[in-house]
Amino acid sequence: MKFCKPLIAEKEYRKILSLMPIACVDIILTKGRSREFLLIKRKDQPVRGYFWFPGGRILKGETIFNAAIRKAKQEIGVSIRPERIVGVYETIFRTSRPGVQGGTHTVNAVVIARIKKDALIQFDSHHTEAKWFVRPPNDFKRYLASALKNAGVL
């Protein structure tokens, strides 16, 4: 599988983030028939310090499933098998990465995917922790709960 490479420099990307929404993929990861789902704690804005789905920006020419496969490998070091698109959601945050004015606006295709029960999670430098949940944490964002309900996980 060939992945697309980012075609823009960081400075240009920050300008785009300041001006328009970004297409992203978020991944609801489960193990087999388990109702457990994986969340990773973010180090970066816009949701620094929160548990969140693995995922991120979709690159031009990349399918939603291929973006999910790439982001799972990058962020948590595992291979996944995307099953279906759960829905399309929107997030609008007041915060963003440094150098971005006006917060972050994303349009997120949420994919449910399975990983092997014994897969070793190794998160990247943008995350501090990975944890399996059966119920949402107390500081859970509405978007995450809605996607999990639509996926049939909650």
Side-chain angles (χ1 to χ4, degrees):
M1 174 180 328
K2 184 178 177 185
F3 295 122
C4 305
K5 293 187 179 177
L7 302 175
I8 54 177
E10 179 65 23
K11 182 179 177 182
E12 292 168 323
Y13 184 57
R14 285 194 306 264
K15 183 174 182 179
I16 292 167
L17 278 174
S18 296
L19 298 172
M20 61 188 298
I22 301 299
C24 295
V25 63
D26 280 337
I27 311 157
I28 298 174
L29 282 172
T30 62
K31 299 185 277 188
R33 295 178 191 252
S34 168
R35 284 224 183 265
E36 288 183 299
F37 54 93
L38 183 78
L39 297 176
I40 51 180
K41 190 177 267 189
R42 292 180 49 94
K43 271 187 179 178
D44 303 329
Q45 291 294 3
V47 284
R48 179 185 307 149
Y50 286 93
F51 279 101
W52 205 257
F53 298 132
R57 150 172 76 137
I58 300 169
L59 303 177
K60 184 172 181 165
E62 186 175 47
T63 68
I64 292 168
F65 279 8
N66 284 348
I69 292 166
R70 175 180 57 83
K71 291 307 295 181
K73 193 62 140 171
Q74 284 177 346
E75 292 191 357
I76 57 173
V78 298
S79 296
I80 64 168
R81 189 184 68 206
E83 293 186 347
R84 65 184 167 90
I85 296 171
V86 172
V88 177
Y89 302 82
E90 179 175 49
T91 57
I92 300 173
F93 301 102
R94 288 186 217 141
T95 58
S96 192
R97 61 176 38 179
V100 175
Q101 302 300 314
T104 301
H105 182 179
T106 64
V107 177
N108 312 298
V110 177
V111 171
I112 189 163
R114 307 252 184 250
I115 63 172
K116 293 181 180 177
K117 289 182 181 183
D118 59 350
L120 178 62
I121 306 296
Q122 298 178 311
F123 50 88
D124 66 8
S125 63
H126 298 280
H127 300 89
T128 61
E129 188 179 348
K131 190 173 178 183
W132 290 97
F133 290 87
V134 291
R135 285 188 306 276
N138 292 335
D139 60 357
F140 216 52
K141 298 296 183 186
R142 237 180 292 151
Y143 154 65
L144 301 175
S146 178
L148 286 163
K149 283 178 187 169
N150 289 341
V153 176
L154 285 185

